Amino acid sequence: MLSSKKPLEKTHIEKKSLNTKEKIDIAKKACSLIKDGDTIFIGPGTTLVQLALELKGRKCYKIRVITNSLPVFLILNDSETIDLLLLGGEYREITGAFVGSMASTNLKAMRVAKAFVSANAVTHNSIATYSDKEGVIQQLALNNAVEKFLLVDSTKFDRYDFFNFYNLDQLDTIITDNQISPQHLEEFSQYTTILKAD
């Protein structure tokens, strides 16, 4: 059943302490899909920060990372194996993300092998976030990716938020934790592939 709780945007710091183990598991699963030579996009969000931490610890691959997330950038900035590009633009302090027309213009010209984004809510065939400006950037990244991945922990299913930025059936894969309910697994598998993290 869809949660009726009013959406309230939490800060990056507040989200960091929620479902930490599940986010780490999801990030490890996502990291295993990134290959040597890939150009990838990593969006904002605490699960994607965990992905950045996993990538930083995996020093044997040379990849290019494009991000609009300042926390992701700061984690990867000193890596010797990652070519890093931070999209500029209007800064949203609450999530540490760069958004707006400058970020959009830059991103429109880029193509990536894989885009990894997150969301506050997954319901029916849609993915939603609190900020329309952040949603537009994630939408652009997904549109410009060969493979499209959504990283969300199992608490995000059957929730709602303000801005629907993508359809599930346009994704290649959802990566979630192994606490996803059988009902949610069945319901959302009709739209796309779901990978459960170990």
Side-chain angles (χ1 to χ4, degrees):
M1 187 170 93
L2 187 64
S3 172
S4 62
K5 292 175 87 174
K6 181 180 178 184
L8 178 65
E9 188 173 25
K10 291 182 171 63
T11 67
H12 183 78
I13 299 299
E14 289 172 322
K15 289 180 178 179
K16 254 178 110 172
S17 62
L18 300 174
N19 307 306
T20 304
K21 180 189 180 302
E22 289 81 2
K23 291 173 183 177
I24 292 170
D25 291 343
I26 291 166
K28 287 180 178 178
K29 187 66 148 182
C31 189
S32 72
L33 303 175
I34 298 168
K35 307 302 180 191
D36 190 26
D38 275 349
T39 294
I40 67 172
F41 174 85
I42 301 177
T46 51
T47 304
L48 296 166
V49 164
Q50 290 296 337
L51 176 56
L53 289 168
E54 289 295 321
L55 284 172
K56 184 173 183 177
R58 192 181 76 167
K59 298 187 181 298
C60 57
Y61 291 101
K62 183 76 172 173
I63 62 172
R64 177 186 289 130
V65 174
I66 299 162
T67 188
N68 68 323
S69 167
L70 184 59
V72 168
F73 175 83
L74 292 174
I75 289 166
L76 299 177
N77 189 35
D78 61 355
S79 172
E80 296 179 359
T81 62
I82 295 174
D83 293 331
L84 187 59
L85 193 154
L86 177 64
L87 297 174
E90 176 188 340
Y91 182 62
R92 293 193 76 238
E93 186 175 3
I94 194 166
T95 58
F98 290 95
V99 298
S101 59
M102 186 180 296
S104 296
T105 299
N106 289 330
L107 190 54
K108 280 177 185 174
M110 299 176 189
R111 298 293 180 268
V112 296
K114 299 176 176 81
F116 297 91
V117 304
S118 194
N120 291 344
V122 179
T123 183
H124 304 302
N125 188 29
S126 66
I127 310 161
T129 191
Y130 185 88
S131 162
D132 57 331
K133 291 181 178 180
E134 283 193 24
V136 166
I137 296 296
Q138 298 199 98
Q139 183 183 78
L140 280 171
L142 290 167
N143 284 342
N144 290 355
V146 177
E147 294 183 84
K148 311 170 199 315
F149 296 90
L150 175 67
L151 278 56
V152 288
D153 67 71
S154 55
T155 66
K156 302 298 194 308
F157 293 99
D158 266 345
R159 297 183 67 86
Y160 80 98
D161 212 329
F162 169 67
F163 186 72
N164 293 324
F165 66 89
Y166 222 69
N167 290 337
L168 292 178
D169 60 12
Q170 296 173 286
L171 296 172
D172 292 288
T173 307
I174 298 172
I175 305 175
T176 191
D177 58 81
N178 60 14
Q179 299 302 307
I180 183 173
S181 71
Q183 294 83 1
H184 285 160
L185 185 61
E186 180 180 2
E187 177 183 353
F188 293 102
S189 290
Q190 69 182 304
Y191 301 113
T192 190
T193 300
I194 297 180
L195 288 182
K196 292 195 294 183
D198 299 328

